[in-house]
Amino acid sequence: MSNNIYIYILVMALSTWFMRVAASLVMKKPISNRFLQSFLYYVPYVTLAVMTFPAIIEATQSPVAGAAALAAGIAAAWYGADLFRVAVICCLTVFVLESFIV
Amino acid sequence: MNRNREIFVNGYKSGIPIGLGYFAVAFSLGIAARSYGFSAAQGFLASLLTYASAGQYMGFALYATNAALIELVLLTFIINARYILMGFALNQRMPEGTALHTRLLVSSCITDEIFGITIARPGVPTPFFTFGALIAAVPLWALGTALGISMGNILPLRVVSALSVALFGMFIAVIVPPSRKDKAVGLAVLTSFALSFAFSNLPLISNLSEGNRTIILTIMISAVFAALAPRTGESGDGLSDAQSSGGDSHE
């Protein structure tokens, strides 16, 4: 590793913090550019979706269990389960399925 | 002053259930962090200072691939772009003339959940409330990360495998409800799944680092959807509330 891990942690923390306060530094009036507004609107969902799949089927011992966890998580969130419950349901799906598969 | 103290305690109490949820998810982040070469102390420090799930997960992964610092900065900006929106939403609720340090203190506390409870609370956002919540939740986040790193290896492989999807479960919980409400978001999510899968399997493209694939896909897909399905303003979920209150005024 050529990167010092503490510098890495510091840079990660500062860049994250900068995102939090960026609006406070520039906010005089709301963003009015419609494209930029729309772009920023889609960004979080697209990023999280890209990071979730196919990574979720590579994280588990059995890809089938990962895929099932994705399906179960989507179903649970669709029907209104909160963040914590969705996470628990995904874990349980993998645990139960891998007891049979692996 | 007593009033502020009351608000702080109020924020602290609201932060406790959030922290318990964080603890479980952070454990799964810790398991990932361990595989990327972080010690428990380093993970604790990173979580204490950063307190951002998706961003930290990506940051840890980038460290393992020995990515350049500029790549880390760019990706952190992109992955946490939603915090900008949340920052705008919070500032929108603060009257003109609010001191800069008050604005900075409130927005320094932004996480998905703390933003949620701050926006849900009537009245002007105050740092006493947001710091109360932050001080309750973030230590649990950091502790969960450290325990995930130090105990991930003494747990049976099957348990580790199961816990490793907790973080993805959390991502799913963020992207699915707005996908249900807004077809364009749903389509963007499905497109992201499909192209992400393609990018990680196609020859040549799959040689790009995971971080670079995420940057390229995020910019590409978000720009196409912004052009084809521009936002008109109002919808029910937190993020588009952030969006619409950036556009309308709620005085």
Side-chain angles (χ1 to χ4, degrees), chain B residues 88-89 194:
Chain B
F88 275 106

Side-chain angles (χ1 to χ4, degrees), chain A residues 32-92:
Chain A
S32 55
N33 181 296
R34 200 171 173 215
F35 177 79
L36 208 61
Q37 238 181 1
S38 306
F39 178 76
L40 284 172
Y41 171 74
Y42 287 111
V43 160
Y45 307 120
V46 170
T47 312
L48 292 177
V50 166
M51 283 173 52
T52 299
F53 189 77
I56 191 169
I57 61 172
E58 290 156 5
T60 49
Q61 286 180 276
S62 143
V64 176
L70 176 66
I74 290 175
W78 187 273
Y79 291 107
D82 63 20
L83 188 139
F84 185 57
R85 287 197 179 88
V86 173
V88 169
I89 286 166
C90 288
C91 292
L92 286 177

